[in-house]
Amino acid sequence: MKLVKLDQNKNYILTTGPVIDAVAGKHLPKGTLYIEEGRIAAITRQGEAGFNFKYPGREKVHLDLGHLSVLPPLVDCHVHLALDGVDFAAARRRWDNPEELAKQVAHELRDTTRHGILAVRDGGDRRGIALQFRNMVYEGRLEGPLVKASVYALRKPNTYGSFLGRGTPMISLEDTLNDLVWRGADQVKVIVSGVVSFKEYGKVGPVQYSAGDLAVIVNLAHSRGMRVMAHASSDEAVLLAARAGVDTIEHGYFLSPGALELLAERGIAWIPTVVPVAAQLQNPDRQVRYVIEKTVDRQLAMINKAAALGVTLGVGTDAGAAGVRHGYGYLQELDLYRQAGLTPAKIIKCATKNGARILGLDWGRLEPGRPAALIAVEGDPLADTGALGRVKYAFLPFKA
Ligand SMILES: [Zn+2]
């Protein structure tokens, strides 16, 4: 895999194989893609006249991607860079060892970009680690995807999520939101419910916030230009969060068809994160495996229903959670979407266009004027999404 960090002062001429329109779900014929100042300047078809750059004197970089399919980059709507997905206790110990932590997170970021995932939204950690590494990538000190950081998650004291965020309100909700702005948060993560049980089917930790509190959080966040991602499992938590006007529902295990209709109606996106549950199928305990299998089957059926109802689905892995590796976990999640019965075209749209929209990025469609964030893969992902596991080039339109 070759990572190309686009130089704003160079012009790029890419000979491409089929270009995939992630919205229409079809190929555009082979041609040439021109990049100037980090943006797509033109896409021409074979046999058409060439494009004239605005600054023709600049150095030109020619790349032959004629044997590859070109599409917008993959987006992971839910990760935890502070955790490694292998050993929770070891990851927690690393938080107190800056050198080890830096090595580990650099590795995770590299694994992420190597899989063609060029933007991730982090669900928060108590120490603001994702924020720290977001800045390092942005300043060009580290290779990695664009990171949208939540800093720490909002949670009620003495409830689920102590590693994700500090308990509120130690201070008022308004002071907390101002603190997040001051620290540089890209969005607000709020933990509305506990986690799903691996031992008892359908059981989820209790709801933490009242409808009133959630409405205040959403208002405070939106008036500060931040979106709200809500960790919500159980139908009750999803309905509560959706009615309060959050922007995305994370996890959403055991949500009802009625809740999906509400999400569709309000334009609230759903990030179903199946792989952190499916990964527990490795558990030696038979009862756990039975519960996990049923939980996964239900979630896949609801993904299918969500797609049919027109709910905006984002792809999120919860990478860093037990059993979910950064980068590789994304391919597992895509395969679960395939098992849910979504077509390759639909899966590609969820992974690229919808992800970009959820993160507030002007990516997800390759057309003149948009940032030249793109990947090139071997094979035809519209025929088989397995091709997304064979990323040969990734183009980053920011420094990194
Ligand atoms: Zn999470």
Side-chain angles (χ1 to χ4, degrees):
M1 211 289 295
K2 187 169 164 45
L3 182 71
V4 180
K5 303 165 188 180
L6 293 170
D7 185 328
Q8 302 283 322
N9 296 308
K10 286 181 187 169
N11 291 334
Y12 295 80
I13 302 170
L14 316 182
T15 308
T16 73
V19 173
I20 290 167
D21 181 332
V23 178
K26 58 177 193 193
H27 305 100
L28 305 173
K30 289 181 174 211
T32 309
L33 195 147
Y34 299 83
I35 300 170
E36 189 165 33
E37 298 183 307
R39 287 181 182 270
I40 298 169
I43 301 175
T44 60
R45 294 177 186 193
Q46 243 170 7
E48 282 181 1
F51 169 77
N52 296 317
F53 286 107
K54 202 159 54 161
Y55 303 103
R58 286 181 177 167
E59 184 186 330
K60 288 183 187 70
V61 179
H62 289 264
L63 282 168
D64 181 9
L65 315 179
H67 56 301
L68 302 171
S69 301
V70 175
L71 72 156
L74 308 174
V75 175
D76 193 333
C77 295
H78 194 132
V79 303
H80 296 277
L81 292 174
L83 300 173
D84 62 16
V86 180
D87 185 337
F88 183 75
R92 283 298 305 262
R93 282 196 298 276
R94 242 181 256 120
W95 291 11
D96 295 315
N97 184 337
E99 224 167 276
E100 286 293 308
L101 179 68
K103 227 193 294 178
Q104 174 61 31
V105 180
H107 189 78
E108 293 167 5
L109 290 167
R110 207 163 40 237
D111 279 348
T112 304
T113 48
R114 299 278 136 172
H115 279 84
I117 304 157
L118 301 191
V120 301
R121 190 174 58 151
D122 192 280
D125 61 83
R126 198 187 170 96
R127 299 272 183 91
I129 290 164
L131 176 85
Q132 177 195 333
F133 286 88
R134 173 198 76 181
N135 294 345
M136 285 174 71
V137 171
Y138 188 75
E139 288 156 10
R141 291 191 278 146
L142 207 56
E143 174 191 320
L146 192 145
V147 178
K148 294 275 188 183
S150 303
V151 192
Y152 52 83
L154 304 189
R155 57 179 272 271
K156 277 281 169 83
N158 309 316
T159 53
Y160 164 74
S162 63
F163 63 100
L164 295 172
R166 53 186 74 187
T168 56
M170 299 183 298
I171 44 178
S172 74
L173 283 173
E174 186 167 6
D175 287 343
T176 305
L177 269 285
N178 287 340
D179 182 59
L180 284 174
V181 171
W182 180 79
R183 287 171 194 271
D186 293 302
Q187 70 272 329
V188 174
K189 163 86 177 288
V190 58
I191 298 172
V192 179
S193 77
V195 279
V196 59
S197 170
F198 294 156
K199 294 208 172 98
E200 200 179 318
Y201 179 72
K203 195 174 167 216
V204 178
V207 162
Q208 300 192 8
Y209 283 102
S210 68
D213 278 349
L214 283 174
V216 170
I217 290 169
V218 168
N219 253 318
L220 290 168
H222 286 174
S223 64
R224 285 158 179 75
M226 292 187 289
R227 297 181 186 182
V228 179
M229 62 187 287
H231 166 119
S233 289
S234 81
D235 193 43
E236 182 193 4
V238 172
L239 287 169
L240 196 66
R243 288 187 186 121
V246 303
D247 300 274
T248 62
I249 295 292
E250 312 296 312
H251 316 306
Y253 306 114
F254 305 111
L255 49 59
S256 62
L260 284 179
E261 278 165 25
L262 185 66
L263 299 188
E265 189 187 304
R266 302 227 172 152
I268 297 170
W270 180 33
I271 293 90
T273 63
V274 196
V275 61
V277 177
Q280 311 312 316
L281 284 168
Q282 310 295 330
N283 196 298
D285 187 312
R286 250 181 74 186
Q287 169 66 10
V288 170
R289 283 203 306 276
Y290 168 77
V291 168
I292 294 302
E293 217 163 288
K294 265 179 90 171
T295 308
V296 168
D297 283 351
R298 188 186 191 281
Q299 192 76 334
L300 296 184
M302 294 316 271
I303 289 174
N304 189 291
K305 195 163 188 62
L309 286 169
V311 175
T312 301
L313 280 161
V315 178
T317 56
D318 216 358
V324 188
R325 305 288 292 267
H326 292 269
Y328 180 67
Y330 199 91
L331 294 176
Q332 296 175 301
E333 185 74 10
L334 292 182
D335 195 57
L336 288 158
Y337 274 51
R338 183 187 61 77
Q339 290 175 39
L342 270 60
T343 62
K346 190 88 193 165
I347 295 171
I348 291 170
K349 184 174 179 233
C350 293
T352 61
K353 179 77 179 81
N354 290 0
R357 188 173 135 199
I358 288 163
L359 269 65
L361 298 169
D362 191 18
W363 299 5
R365 205 161 195 187
L366 302 182
E367 54 191 11
R370 290 192 193 257
L374 53 97
I375 58 175
V377 305
E378 204 174 67
D380 178 8
L382 278 176
D384 171 12
T385 48
L388 298 173
R390 297 188 295 275
V391 178
K392 298 297 167 192
Y393 280 90
F395 293 80
L396 279 173
F398 55 96
K399 29 190 185 178

